[in-house]
Amino acid sequence: MITLAAKGNRDHSCDDSPTTTARSAMTSKRQVDSARFVHGSTLRHVVVMAGTGAIGLMAVFAVDLANLFYVSLLGDTSVAAAVGFAGTINFFHTAISIGMTIGVSATVARLLGAGQRTKARQVASASLVLMILITLILSAATLLFLDPILNALGAVGETRMLTRGFLLITAPTYVFLAIGMCTAALMRSVGDARRAMTVTLTAAVVTAVLDPILIFGFHLGLTGAAISNDIARLALALVGLYGATRVNDLIARVRFARLWSNSQPVMKVALPAVLTNLATPVASAYVTHAMARFGAAAVAGQATIDRITPVAFAVIYALTGAVGPIIAQNLGAGRADRIRETVRNSLVFVLLTVAVAWIVLALAQGGLIRAFSARGDTAVIITAFCSWLVASYAFVGCQFVANATFNNLDRPLLSTLFNWGRATIGTVPFVAAGMRHGPVGVMIGQAAGNAIFGTMAMLVAYAVVKRLPMGDCAALANRGSNQLEQSSVNVPAAAVGNTMAPDVELKELPLQGG
């Protein structure tokens, strides 16, 4: 049971010394700073967190976009296709890291919202070590089974050779990417969105500077792009560690004896979240395999779209990580009314974002085709997407909001169900049917599956949120400002995984004589 007790009335306090008052003020300020999402406009929190998170994500994905842009200037479709195949494999590692950070962010934010900062720091440090170990194992497995993986994707000839060389250089540095993503998630969980954004912006700046130097200045071509990736990931990790440890003091000393016990609350959310996130790269791998049947130009077109969309829709991609801490802190504080409001505002935000992006991409499609030296099927794919298939991302955004809701209200298996449903029965039959109509048909099939499962996920998320006890939380919020001086709030098990937001009990504190 978590008890949040307010300071007693000054007229009845046993200790009114300046030192005690100052200490209480500093403690209160730290608690407010650590749980800033339980107050103020939820729409503003969504916009700020998604906006700053989007800039950070945009920086991460801009690294891949910049690589593709620079290598496309080499004028070789095989090189662009190699970046596409390598990106599909990278997507698996990124999805696993994102799934882990969802667990870290949700657990740490909930502990902070419940006022348990010490425990939050212990969980954060254990989670970071666990992510490093998992990523090292997965990187080794990727290198060991690289040839079978490329066979499954359909990479052949020169494109296969280029893809293999690129991954042999970049796969060993996945661990630095994981460290950067974990530390950025920790900073978002405490509400330090600006520094979390700085972490990922660093990688983008490093890539923007090094790519042209290594690819063209030193004439390294695709190898130069790979080396640039490695250096950018190292910078990402270093800046993230500095912000999480030195600035926000979010990482405690690692206690290896308690590593698993401190990681268990995170893994409860992270494992289903990883399974959920793996569904998207699985679907992407199937789409890449389908595109490979139409040649390197089709794969290059799909690779171009796969790198444009994360930048164009970075705000939507950021929603899962942005909305999660807001929901988690309000769950820890027993504010179910604000959870419902957050979900509603997030959906509105998605629709407005997609509308703006659709207009921009439709107007910019000609410039994109010229910028990436697109010809043949590559140009056709870009035109079809920017003209009308881009609208399907409204449904992708709906699913992201639903996933954040499920993960932070302890329904992560629902996220897994919907994502894998979209990756299997929402992708395979639709893409298979679309293949009869060429590469654009493949994209139409994928968009149709996104629309069906995005709509279903959002409807279920609304049903889950609707079951939260809104009345009790609203009553608490109204009484809080008037009775804070003489009341405490008991929130039974608010931070240990309740699916439903807890009932709130108010009781009077005994007045101290003096």
Side-chain angles (χ1 to χ4, degrees):
M1 178 175 289
I2 301 165
T3 303
L4 305 177
K7 187 181 73 172
N9 190 303
R10 284 187 58 88
D11 293 339
H12 302 278
S13 174
C14 292
D15 187 358
D16 286 338
S17 67
T19 302
T20 302
T21 302
R23 188 183 300 116
S24 298
M26 287 187 293
T27 301
S28 299
K29 184 179 187 300
R30 168 164 282 191
Q31 289 176 343
V32 170
D33 288 343
S34 297
R36 66 184 64 179
F37 299 135
V38 299
H39 306 287
S41 167
T42 58
L43 178 59
R44 181 180 180 278
H45 290 321
V46 169
V47 172
V48 171
M49 289 294 286
T52 53
I55 295 173
L57 274 181
M58 192 180 298
V60 170
F61 292 123
V63 171
D64 289 335
L65 183 62
N67 280 333
L68 181 62
F69 170 73
Y70 285 119
V71 299
S72 69
L73 296 179
L74 297 173
D76 190 342
T77 303
S78 296
V79 174
V83 173
F85 282 116
T88 300
I89 297 171
N90 290 343
F91 198 3
F92 278 90
H93 288 272
T94 303
I96 292 170
S97 293
I98 290 175
M100 292 290 294
T101 59
I102 288 173
V104 173
S105 180
T107 306
V108 172
R110 187 178 302 181
L111 289 170
L112 291 172
Q116 301 184 47
R117 184 177 178 86
T118 300
K119 179 64 176 176
R121 294 178 69 245
Q122 294 172 354
V123 168
S125 59
S127 301
L128 180 59
V129 171
L130 192 63
M131 275 192 70
I132 291 173
L133 294 175
I134 291 173
T135 305
L136 288 173
I137 293 171
L138 292 175
S139 298
T142 298
L143 293 172
L144 184 63
F145 298 103
L146 186 54
D147 286 327
I149 292 171
L150 293 177
N151 289 338
L153 290 176
V156 295
E158 184 184 4
T159 300
R160 177 194 178 92
M161 181 186 68
L162 291 169
T163 305
R164 192 176 190 278
F166 185 86
L167 288 169
L168 286 175
I169 298 172
T170 58
T173 59
Y174 286 140
V175 64
F176 297 132
L177 178 64
I179 292 171
M181 293 177 69
C182 182
T183 51
L186 288 173
M187 285 184 276
R188 283 195 299 272
S189 71
V190 78
D192 192 356
R194 182 177 62 83
R195 286 191 177 88
M197 174 187 67
T198 302
V199 174
T200 43
L201 277 176
T202 300
V205 171
V206 171
T207 302
V209 172
L210 291 183
D211 258 359
I213 294 174
L214 295 176
I215 294 173
F216 301 109
F218 288 94
H219 306 288
L220 294 176
L222 189 60
T223 300
I227 296 173
S228 174
N229 259 8
D230 289 347
I231 298 174
R233 288 172 181 174
L234 177 60
L236 183 82
L238 292 176
V239 175
L241 285 171
Y242 177 81
T245 56
R246 297 289 186 178
V247 179
N248 285 286
D249 192 25
L250 287 171
I251 299 178
R253 186 177 207 149
V254 179
R255 299 182 180 181
F256 287 97
R258 298 183 182 179
L259 184 65
W260 177 243
S261 62
N262 284 332
S263 300
Q264 279 183 316
V266 174
M267 297 306 292
K268 178 182 176 182
V269 176
L271 283 177
V274 167
L275 290 175
T276 299
N277 277 14
L278 279 176
T280 301
V282 166
S284 178
Y286 180 76
V287 172
T288 300
H289 177 77
M291 286 293 190
R293 298 189 180 188
F294 300 101
V299 175
Q302 181 67 29
T304 304
I305 296 301
D306 286 344
R307 280 150 185 78
I308 290 174
T309 50
V311 176
F313 295 105
V315 173
I316 290 179
Y317 277 80
L319 274 176
T320 301
V323 175
I326 301 173
I327 292 177
Q329 283 195 9
N330 282 288
L331 178 63
R335 293 298 307 273
D337 55 316
R338 290 176 61 82
I339 295 174
R340 185 175 188 177
E341 184 181 301
T342 299
V343 173
R344 184 174 62 250
N345 287 334
S346 298
L347 181 58
V348 173
F349 189 60
V350 164
L351 298 178
L352 292 175
T353 299
V354 172
V356 172
W358 189 355
I359 294 172
V360 172
L361 287 176
L363 295 174
Q365 59 182 287
L368 291 172
I369 291 172
R370 290 190 295 273
F372 289 95
S373 305
R375 299 182 299 274
D377 284 341
T378 305
V380 170
I381 288 172
I382 294 174
T383 298
F385 179 81
C386 293
S387 296
W388 48 289
L389 287 175
V390 64
S392 66
Y393 266 75
F395 302 102
V396 174
C398 287
Q399 185 149 0
F400 285 170
V401 174
N403 286 347
T405 303
F406 297 145
N407 288 332
N408 289 279
L409 295 183
D410 293 323
R411 300 288 184 91
L413 291 180
L414 285 175
S415 272
T416 305
L417 175 65
F418 280 109
N419 265 30
W420 277 101
R422 179 169 63 91
T424 53
I425 60 178
T427 298
V428 176
F430 292 98
V431 169
M435 285 174 61
R436 304 172 189 172
H437 306 284
V440 173
V442 171
M443 297 176 63
I444 293 173
Q446 186 180 25
N450 288 342
I452 293 171
F453 278 85
T455 301
M456 291 172 58
M458 198 68 240
L459 291 175
V460 174
Y462 266 115
V464 169
V465 173
K466 187 176 181 180
R467 293 182 58 195
L468 296 173
M470 304 296 170
D472 290 345
C473 290
L476 172 64
N478 290 332
R479 292 186 59 184
S481 59
N482 297 325
Q483 300 188 7
L484 182 62
E485 290 292 330
Q486 295 184 352
S487 67
S488 68
V489 181
N490 291 333
V491 187
V496 294
N498 281 357
T499 298
M500 302 293 289
D503 291 329
V504 177
E505 173 189 357
L506 290 172
K507 69 179 183 181
E508 297 299 316
L509 287 174
L511 298 178
Q512 299 175 343

